[in-house]
Amino acid sequence: MAKNRTERLRPQVLIERGDVPWLIAVAAATSVPHAAHLPAWLTALAAAAMLGRLWSWQRNARLPPRWLLSIFAVVGVTAIGWQFRTLLGRDAGVALLVFFVALKPMEIHTRRDALVVVMLGYFLLLTHYFYSESIPTALWMLAAATLVTGTLLRLYGGHQPAREILGYAARLLAQAAPLMIVLFVLFPRVEGPLWGLPRDAHAGLTGLSDTMAPGSINNLIQSGEIAFRVRFVAEIPKKSSLYWRGPVLDDYDGQTWRGGLPRSAALPPDIEMRGERIDYVSTLEPHGKRWLLALDLPVSLPRDSALSPAFVAVSREPIVQRRRYALASTTAYTVNAQEARQTLQRALRLPPSVNPRTRELARSWAAELETPERISDRALALFRREDFVYTLQPPLLGANAVDEFLFSTRRGFCEHFASAYVFLMRAAGVPARVVTGYMGGEVNPVDGYLTVRQSDAHAWAEIWVAGRGWLRVDPTAAVAPSRIESGVASALPAAEPLPGLLRFDNPWLRALRYRWEAAGNAWNQWVLGYNPDRQYELLTRLGLEEPDWRKMTAWLAGLTAIVLLVLSFGMLRPRRAELPEQLAWRQFCQRLARLGVVRAEWEGPQAFAQRVSHERPELGPLTHEAAKNFAAIRYGAGGPDELKRLRACCRRLPSRWRKTN
Amino acid sequence: MAALASIRAAECGYNREGAGQSAGLAGHYRPNAFMTTTAAPNLSASAIESLIAAANRVILGKDTQIRLALACLLARGHLLIEDLPGVGKTTLAHTLARLLGLEFSRVQFTSDMLPADIIGVSIFDRERSSFRFLPGPLFAQVLLADEINRATPKTQSALLEAMEERQVTAEGETRALPEPFFVIATQNPSGQIGTFPLPESQLDRFLLRIELGYPDRNAERALLESGGRKEKLPALAACFEPDQLVMLQREAAAVHTSPALLDYVQALTEATRGHPAFVHGLSPRAALGVLAVARAWAFIHGRKMVLPEDVQAILPSVACHRLRLINSASHARPEDIVKLIKTTPLP
C-alpha cells in the first residue's frame, strides 16, 4: 500500500549540499532584526540552531533524528507559551515563527523542505513591519527579499556563482518595482491597516499620559524620540509662543493630577481670536491616546476630531498610527470669558488637609491682594526671588508634597512648579489647572520642518479671570527663563545627565542628524503617510478628478490591461531565439560600441573587422580574431572551439574604464 | 556615389584581407583534405591567383571587374559587359578566354544579321551528295558577342536560346554546344543610335552585368605609356589545364552556404520585392544566381564558406540589370542596391 502511494506521488527532489548555506542565510537574514525584541533565550537558541546546522554542514555530520527534533519543538513551543502567556498575538506569533525558521534547516532533505524555509522567510519578512517601518528596516527587508528570491533560484538549479544568482534575483525584484509603484499609487486606500494588527501591536508607545505625578515628565524627557513634526504654512512663530497643548489636568489628589472634565457640564469653547491665524500641517507619531497636539490655541481642526471643553483637540480614535493633519491656531486669544460654574468649581477643588503651610500662605495673599492677576504675580515672584532650582533630579517628596517643595527642597522640574503654582492659586481662590504638552521644538534646516521630541515635554498652568477667560501662566519661565527661550538642555545645570542627543552638540553630527531626520520625515510623509487623503491629493494633482475607489480601480485595471497587452504582444511576436554565437558576437560589438566603433546592422563580420582596424588599429587584431571565429560558426562549419575563442575575445576586449592608452 | 566609392574601397581592402587569410582558413576548414585530392586546393588557389594577376597586367586597374567576370564564369553563367566603346570590353573578354585556355570566337553583331550567321548553315556536299552542317561561331567555348544590342530581336533570341539550353537545334537536328560554354556579350548604353535594347526576360539570362568605367588616372597613364593592349594578347599563355576549369566550377558550387546566409539572401530578395523604387523584385532564378555567384566569389577568395560580405560585393552586378526603376524607365544603379543593402540588417 505504502509503496503504491509513494509511486503515485512525484519523486522527491533532494536538495544539494550547496543549497544548505543559502537556506541558513535565509533563516538568519529574516530573523536577525527580531532579536531586538525577542527574549534573549530565544535569540540564543535560534542562533545556536543555525550555527549548529552550519557546523554539521561543514563536517558533513548526520542531522539529529526526528524524535529529538520533535521533543525540541515541543519544549520550545511550551517555553514560548510560558514566556508570553499565550501563543497568539504579535509577539508570541513572531517568536514561534523565528523558532521554526531556525529549527527547520535541521531536517532539510528534499526541495519541499527547503521551500518551507523560503516561504517562512518571505512571511517573516512581513512581520518586521509590526515593529518598525523605518528606512533601515525597508532596506534590510529589500536585501533579505533578494536573498530569499536568490535562494529560490538556487533551489531550482541555479549553479552559477552566488553573485550572479543574487544579481538575477535583484533584477527580478527591480522588474517588479514598476508594478509595485503603480499599485502603491493607485490601489484604493482604506483608513487604517487593511486587516488590523494584533491587539498587542501598539504596546509600548511613548508619549504624554493623562495623569501627572512627580517624575512622570522627567521620565519622558529622557527620550530623544520624535513626538511630532510640524510644517508651518507661513513662517514659524517665535519660540517662546510654541506651546503645544496636550491633556489638561484639573483633579488633584495630593500626589497625582488627573484630567477628565465631564463634557455635559461644560460650556462650548468660545474663542475670540486676537492674533493672526497660523496654519500648519502636523505629522503626529502614534502615542496610543486620543489627543492631537495643537499649538495653543487651536481654531480650526481636522475632520474626525473636536475641541474638548478644556480646548484640547481630541481625535475620535486613539492615535495608533502616524497621522498627518492640517490645523490652524492663534497665539493671541481670549477664551471662555464666561465659564460654567461647574468647571470653575472643579478648578478650585483641593484635596482636604494636605499642604497646610501652602494653604495658609495662599490665604494671606488672597486677603492682602485684590485681583487674581496680582496673586499670580506674587506666586511667580516667589519662584523667582527665592532660591528655587530647575533640575531633572528633584528629591523625593512626601505626603505634603507642595509644602515640602515650596518651603524646604525647592528643587524641581516643570511639573513641580506647575503643580505648586496651581495649588497656590486654588488655595487663594483663583480657578486654576495644569496643562501638559510640549514646549518649543527644533527647526530642521534641511527640510524646514519643526521637530518636537519627547524631550520637549512640558507642564504649565492656566488661571481663569472673570472677563479675561483662561490665561496661560508658565511658572517654569519664572525659574528658568532659558527653558522657554532655548530649550531644556540650556536650562539645566551643566552637571546634570541628559539624553546624549540633547547634550551632545557637535555641529558635524548635528548636520548629519538633521539630514537623517529629514530623510526619515520624507519617508514618513510620502511612503508611510500615503493615506486616503494624500492619495486623493496626488491623484487630483495628476488630473484625475474626484478620484473614488471606482475610478481608481478602473484606472488600475486599464493600466494593467495596457501593460499586459504590451507584454503579450512582445511575447507572441515570432522571434527566433538568439544562438550563443550571436549573443557573444552581439556582446563583443556592444563593448566595441562603448569604445567608440559601432557596427552597422548590415555590416558583415569581416568587413566590420576591416573597418575597425582602419579606425582603431589597436583593436584590429582582436576584432579580426573575433570576426573570424564568429563567421566560422555562423557561416561555416565552426563548433564549440570557435565559440570558446569568440568568448575569450569578448573578455579580452578592454572595457570602457580601462581604456587602452 | 560616395557611398558606392566607400563600399568599393571596403571591398578592395577586404579582398586583400581574404587573400591574406586564405591559407589559414583553408587549413582550418579542410582537416581531412588528403581524403580527396591533396594538392588540388592549393593548386586551384594558385591558378586563380596567377590568372587574376595576369589579367591585371593586361587590363589595368580593373581588379574587381576581373574577379567578377571570373566569378561569373566559375558559376557557369554568362556575362554582360555594358559600357561605352573603347573602355576595354573586348579586351577583357579576350584576355579571359586566353588565360583560361579556352577556344574563343567573336561575333560582331549588326542589324542585318540572321540567326544562321551565328548558329551555322547546312550546305550541300556534292561528293557525298548530302547536306553538311557548317557550325557557326556559336560553337566555341567562349563566344564574344560584341554589341549584342545592335542585332535584331530575332537574332538576339537565337543566341539567348542557345545560352539557356546549351544546345542548338538547326534543321531538325539537335547539336550540343561545347563544354564549358560561356558567352560574354558587350552592349552599348541603350541610348545610342541603332540599338535594340534587350527585353527583361533576355537580360535575365545573363548572370552578371558589369560596367568597366573609365580607368583611373594612374591606370590610364600606364596605358598611354605602354601603348595599346591588343598586341599583348597573343603572348598570353593559358593558366589552366584543359579540364581544370570544369573541376574549379564544381569546387566553387560546393562552397558552403549556411542557413544564416540563406536567411540573408532571402531577406535581400524580399527587400527588393515591394520596394517602392523598383517595378518588381528579384525572381527566384535571380536569387539562385546570387547564391551561385557569391559561392564563386568566396571561392576566388580562398574561402570554403560564403559570408554576407560576398553577397554584398556581388549583389549590384547580379541585381542591377534585373531591376527596373519605377520612375526613370532605366535599370537600377549600383547605388540603389548599396542603399538596399544598408537598410537590410544581417539576420
Side-chain angles (χ1 to χ4, degrees), chain A residues 576 582 599 601-608 610 624 628-629 631-638 642 645, chain B residues 13-14 17 21 25 28-29 256 258 260-261 263-264 305-309 312 341-342 344-347:
Chain A
R576 209 169 298 161
Q582 279 177 295
R599 187 181 78 90
E601 277 198 322
W602 58 271
E603 220 168 358
Q606 301 263 24
F608 177 55
Q610 193 61 39
H624 267 302
K628 196 178 90 181
N629 285 304
I633 307 167
R634 186 136 176 85
Y635 301 108
E642 278 79 9
R645 264 178 260 152
Chain B
Y14 164 64
E17 167 62 25
Q21 280 197 335
L25 279 171
H28 182 71
Y29 286 107
H256 178 65
S258 71
L261 188 100
D263 282 345
Y264 184 51
M305 58 183 176
V306 182
L307 294 181
E309 289 91 327
Q312 290 168 359
I341 287 171
K342 290 196 169 180
T344 310
L346 295 186

XYZ file of all heavy atoms in Angstrom, chain A residues 576 582 599 601-608 610 624 628-629 631-638 642 645, chain B residues 13-14 17 21 25 28-29 256 258 260-261 263-264 305-309 312 341-342 344-347:
416
model
N 13.054 34.567 -33.331
C 13.938 33.418 -33.233
C 14.872 33.637 -32.048
O 15.382 34.733 -31.854
C 14.740 33.274 -34.526
C 15.119 31.846 -34.798
C 15.670 31.705 -36.194
N 14.676 32.079 -37.208
C 15.034 32.394 -38.454
N 16.287 32.407 -38.811
N 14.104 32.709 -39.333
N 25.640 34.251 -31.696
C 25.083 35.580 -31.964
C 25.164 36.432 -30.711
O 25.498 37.610 -30.772
C 23.621 35.459 -32.399
C 23.463 35.101 -33.849
C 22.008 34.933 -34.187
O 21.358 34.034 -33.690
N 21.492 35.818 -35.018
N 29.051 48.924 -34.942
C 28.822 48.110 -36.124
C 27.445 48.434 -36.675
O 26.464 48.455 -35.930
C 28.870 46.623 -35.760
C 28.811 45.717 -36.968
C 28.829 44.262 -36.563
N 27.529 43.830 -36.100
C 26.570 43.314 -36.899
N 26.795 43.177 -38.180
N 25.416 42.962 -36.410
N 24.085 47.572 -38.705
C 23.348 46.311 -38.652
C 23.557 45.464 -39.891
O 23.414 44.256 -39.855
C 21.856 46.594 -38.474
C 21.454 46.828 -37.041
C 19.966 46.662 -36.868
O 19.243 47.080 -37.784
O 19.538 46.119 -35.841
N 23.889 46.122 -40.996
C 24.033 45.372 -42.244
C 25.465 44.891 -42.456
O 25.751 44.168 -43.404
C 23.604 46.254 -43.427
C 24.393 47.535 -43.509
C 24.099 48.701 -42.909
C 25.633 47.738 -44.198
N 25.057 49.630 -43.170
C 26.014 49.077 -43.964
C 26.449 46.918 -44.985
C 27.177 49.608 -44.491
C 27.605 47.465 -45.504
C 27.966 48.796 -45.258
N 26.347 45.310 -41.563
C 27.766 45.072 -41.797
C 28.171 43.640 -41.457
O 27.886 43.172 -40.362
C 28.573 46.056 -40.946
C 29.762 46.611 -41.644
C 30.350 47.785 -40.873
O 29.814 48.172 -39.829
O 31.381 48.291 -41.319
N 28.809 42.968 -42.381
C 29.271 41.610 -42.128
C 30.494 41.626 -41.221
O 31.154 42.655 -41.071
N 30.784 40.472 -40.597
C 31.852 40.452 -39.591
C 33.222 40.855 -40.130
O 33.931 41.646 -39.511
C 31.837 39.012 -39.092
C 31.042 38.233 -40.070
C 30.102 39.182 -40.726
N 33.591 40.311 -41.311
C 34.942 40.588 -41.815
C 35.066 42.055 -42.227
O 36.076 42.704 -41.962
C 35.243 39.702 -43.015
C 35.159 38.234 -42.707
C 36.509 37.608 -42.407
O 37.444 38.278 -42.010
N 36.592 36.302 -42.593
N 34.006 42.558 -42.861
C 34.057 43.952 -43.290
C 34.150 44.861 -42.081
O 34.873 45.860 -42.090
C 32.800 44.284 -44.107
N 33.429 44.485 -41.019
C 33.461 45.286 -39.798
C 34.864 45.268 -39.195
O 35.416 46.309 -38.823
C 32.439 44.728 -38.812
C 32.431 45.442 -37.494
C 32.252 46.818 -37.431
C 32.614 44.743 -36.309
C 32.242 47.478 -36.219
C 32.610 45.397 -35.093
C 32.427 46.763 -35.055
N 37.564 44.814 -40.698
C 38.417 45.623 -41.574
C 38.310 47.108 -41.219
O 39.295 47.821 -41.117
C 37.964 45.387 -43.024
C 38.920 45.891 -44.058
C 40.259 45.183 -43.936
O 40.301 43.993 -43.677
N 41.335 45.918 -44.086
N 39.496 41.134 -35.599
C 39.657 40.159 -36.689
C 39.505 38.746 -36.181
O 38.830 37.914 -36.793
C 41.033 40.333 -37.340
C 40.982 41.256 -38.522
N 40.171 41.021 -39.595
C 41.622 42.412 -38.784
C 40.309 41.985 -40.485
N 41.194 42.862 -40.005
N 36.541 36.315 -37.246
C 36.869 35.061 -37.925
C 36.136 33.908 -37.253
O 35.520 33.072 -37.915
C 38.385 34.840 -37.861
C 38.866 33.798 -38.837
C 40.361 33.666 -38.763
C 40.749 32.629 -37.739
N 42.186 32.479 -37.598
N 36.171 33.917 -35.908
C 35.531 32.816 -35.191
C 34.017 32.872 -35.322
O 33.361 31.850 -35.490
C 35.934 32.845 -33.713
C 37.351 32.346 -33.526
O 37.664 31.239 -33.935
N 38.211 33.175 -32.955
N 32.288 34.209 -37.806
C 31.925 33.832 -39.171
C 32.039 32.322 -39.347
O 31.215 31.698 -40.009
C 32.822 34.561 -40.158
N 33.071 31.748 -38.711
C 33.265 30.303 -38.866
C 32.069 29.547 -38.294
O 31.645 28.538 -38.853
C 34.546 29.879 -38.158
N 31.516 30.040 -37.185
C 30.379 29.323 -36.595
C 29.106 29.606 -37.379
O 28.348 28.707 -37.724
C 30.160 29.749 -35.129
C 31.458 29.613 -34.339
C 29.103 28.875 -34.491
C 31.407 30.284 -33.003
N 28.894 30.873 -37.691
C 27.599 31.250 -38.244
C 27.500 30.893 -39.721
O 26.449 30.511 -40.195
C 27.385 32.750 -38.051
C 26.013 33.209 -38.476
C 25.415 34.158 -37.487
N 24.135 34.670 -37.958
C 22.971 34.053 -37.786
N 22.945 32.885 -37.170
N 21.853 34.583 -38.228
N 28.590 31.039 -40.448
C 28.514 30.834 -41.897
C 29.310 29.631 -42.364
O 29.272 29.288 -43.524
C 28.986 32.099 -42.619
C 28.168 33.296 -42.248
C 28.678 34.307 -41.449
C 26.839 33.393 -42.663
C 27.901 35.391 -41.086
C 26.052 34.481 -42.292
C 26.584 35.472 -41.506
O 25.816 36.517 -41.148
N 30.072 29.017 -41.463
C 30.863 27.874 -41.878
C 30.540 26.682 -41.011
O 29.419 26.520 -40.550
N 31.544 25.891 -40.750
C 31.323 24.661 -40.016
C 31.972 24.717 -38.637
O 32.314 23.695 -38.063
C 31.878 23.484 -40.812
N 32.136 25.911 -38.115
C 32.784 26.050 -36.815
C 31.948 25.444 -35.696
O 30.751 25.253 -35.832
N 35.460 27.338 -31.623
C 35.405 28.711 -32.109
C 34.598 29.577 -31.153
O 34.933 30.728 -30.916
C 34.785 28.768 -33.507
C 35.751 28.456 -34.625
C 35.974 26.975 -34.786
O 35.243 26.192 -34.142
O 36.876 26.592 -35.549
N 36.700 30.545 -28.356
C 37.655 31.605 -28.717
C 36.957 32.939 -28.881
O 37.500 33.980 -28.512
C 38.370 31.211 -30.025
C 39.718 30.539 -29.731
C 40.393 30.103 -30.996
N 40.176 28.683 -31.209
C 40.152 28.087 -32.397
N 40.314 28.803 -33.489
N 39.970 26.799 -32.488
N 39.790 46.389 -49.923
C 40.550 46.063 -48.727
C 40.240 44.660 -48.276
O 41.111 43.874 -47.937
N 38.977 44.366 -48.332
C 38.503 43.066 -47.899
C 39.088 41.966 -48.776
O 39.482 40.918 -48.318
C 36.980 43.088 -47.939
C 36.359 41.739 -47.877
C 36.504 40.948 -46.754
C 35.634 41.263 -48.958
C 35.951 39.703 -46.708
C 35.074 40.019 -48.907
C 35.246 39.238 -47.786
O 34.699 38.000 -47.748
N 42.410 41.266 -47.625
C 42.300 40.546 -46.373
C 42.020 39.070 -46.638
O 42.668 38.186 -46.108
C 41.160 41.166 -45.548
C 40.707 40.375 -44.356
C 41.797 40.209 -43.347
O 42.700 41.057 -43.335
O 41.749 39.225 -42.603
N 44.283 35.737 -45.728
C 43.878 34.738 -44.757
C 43.625 33.382 -45.382
O 43.370 32.422 -44.675
C 42.602 35.190 -44.060
C 42.870 36.188 -42.962
C 41.663 36.285 -42.065
O 40.572 35.992 -42.510
N 41.875 36.661 -40.835
N 42.588 29.813 -43.346
C 41.226 29.312 -43.360
C 41.147 27.984 -44.079
O 40.493 27.057 -43.630
C 40.312 30.326 -44.043
C 39.869 31.480 -43.150
C 39.170 32.516 -43.977
C 38.980 30.966 -42.044
N 42.220 25.339 -41.938
C 41.302 25.021 -40.853
C 40.092 24.242 -41.323
O 39.622 23.332 -40.659
C 40.845 26.301 -40.174
C 39.950 25.995 -39.030
N 40.427 25.438 -37.873
C 38.610 26.102 -38.894
C 39.421 25.245 -37.049
N 38.309 25.639 -37.634
N 39.566 24.647 -42.460
C 38.298 24.046 -42.867
C 38.474 22.737 -43.621
O 37.497 22.120 -43.981
C 37.478 25.035 -43.685
C 36.933 26.062 -42.772
C 37.416 27.342 -42.751
C 35.967 25.688 -41.842
C 36.936 28.265 -41.868
C 35.487 26.608 -40.944
C 35.967 27.888 -40.958
O 35.490 28.776 -40.061
N 30.243 26.251 -49.015
C 29.163 26.092 -48.050
C 28.348 27.374 -47.905
O 28.888 28.469 -47.755
C 29.770 25.718 -46.690
C 28.762 25.565 -45.603
N 27.803 24.577 -45.616
C 28.555 26.273 -44.464
C 27.047 24.688 -44.538
N 27.490 25.706 -43.818
N 25.512 28.613 -45.281
C 24.836 28.218 -44.043
C 23.403 28.728 -44.051
O 23.057 29.622 -44.830
C 25.579 28.813 -42.853
O 25.370 30.201 -42.812
N 22.080 30.651 -42.022
C 22.073 32.087 -41.713
C 22.279 32.899 -42.982
O 21.661 33.941 -43.188
C 23.163 32.401 -40.699
N 23.148 32.384 -43.884
C 23.408 33.116 -45.106
C 22.205 33.056 -46.035
O 21.847 34.040 -46.687
C 24.641 32.567 -45.807
C 24.970 33.493 -46.967
C 26.074 34.415 -46.596
C 25.201 32.765 -48.234
N 19.226 32.879 -45.076
C 18.306 33.865 -44.497
C 18.609 35.255 -45.041
O 17.694 36.008 -45.390
C 18.478 33.913 -42.965
C 17.792 32.745 -42.295
O 16.973 32.088 -42.966
O 18.092 32.492 -41.115
N 19.887 35.544 -45.107
C 20.283 36.885 -45.543
C 19.918 37.101 -47.000
O 19.368 38.150 -47.376
C 21.778 37.085 -45.314
C 22.253 38.471 -45.641
C 21.613 39.590 -45.124
C 23.353 38.667 -46.472
C 22.046 40.866 -45.418
C 23.790 39.941 -46.770
C 23.129 41.042 -46.244
O 23.558 42.308 -46.544
N 33.369 28.992 -47.333
C 32.012 29.357 -46.897
C 31.711 30.742 -47.429
O 32.611 31.548 -47.656
C 31.938 29.362 -45.370
C 32.952 30.335 -44.783
S 32.942 30.309 -43.018
C 34.270 31.423 -42.665
N 30.434 30.992 -47.619
C 30.024 32.295 -48.127
C 29.709 33.194 -46.939
O 29.006 32.794 -46.011
C 28.793 32.158 -49.033
C 28.400 33.515 -49.584
C 29.089 31.191 -50.152
N 30.232 34.406 -46.973
C 29.937 35.398 -45.936
C 28.968 36.432 -46.499
O 28.876 36.594 -47.722
C 31.227 36.109 -45.507
C 32.277 35.276 -44.806
C 33.457 36.162 -44.440
C 31.705 34.633 -43.565
N 28.285 37.117 -45.631
C 27.391 38.184 -46.125
C 28.135 39.201 -46.985
O 27.567 39.750 -47.928
C 26.880 38.836 -44.841
C 27.036 37.822 -43.791
C 28.184 36.960 -44.175
N 29.410 39.414 -46.661
C 30.188 40.366 -47.450
C 30.281 39.934 -48.910
O 30.292 40.775 -49.818
C 31.607 40.493 -46.888
C 31.666 41.211 -45.570
C 31.549 40.274 -44.391
O 30.835 39.257 -44.513
O 32.155 40.552 -43.358
N 27.118 40.901 -50.500
C 27.059 42.346 -50.683
C 27.939 42.790 -51.847
O 27.587 43.712 -52.591
C 27.516 43.055 -49.401
C 26.517 42.893 -48.266
C 27.079 43.332 -46.936
O 28.227 43.744 -46.842
N 26.264 43.235 -45.898
N 21.155 47.373 -49.498
C 21.965 46.550 -48.592
C 22.054 47.216 -47.224
O 21.939 46.556 -46.186
C 23.370 46.352 -49.188
C 23.312 45.390 -50.378
C 24.333 45.831 -48.132
C 24.590 45.306 -51.155
N 22.194 48.525 -47.263
C 22.404 49.225 -45.987
C 21.132 49.351 -45.168
O 21.190 49.810 -44.027
C 22.999 50.608 -46.238
C 24.428 50.487 -46.716
C 25.169 51.781 -46.608
C 26.652 51.526 -46.833
N 27.439 52.738 -46.745
N 19.094 46.652 -44.975
C 18.696 45.290 -44.637
C 19.671 44.734 -43.605
O 20.815 44.439 -43.938
C 18.715 44.396 -45.901
O 17.995 45.060 -46.924
C 18.095 43.052 -45.619
N 19.246 44.632 -42.350
C 20.172 44.114 -41.333
C 20.492 42.640 -41.558
O 19.666 41.900 -42.112
C 19.421 44.307 -40.018
C 18.068 44.760 -40.351
C 17.931 44.926 -41.816
N 21.661 42.251 -41.117
C 22.010 40.827 -41.172
C 21.083 40.076 -40.221
O 20.873 40.513 -39.099
C 23.444 40.614 -40.691
C 24.565 41.221 -41.519
C 25.899 40.763 -40.952
C 24.461 40.809 -42.962
N 20.519 38.966 -40.647
C 19.663 38.244 -39.702
C 20.509 37.573 -38.612
O 21.650 37.245 -38.859
C 18.956 37.229 -40.563
C 19.759 37.103 -41.795
C 20.547 38.359 -41.974
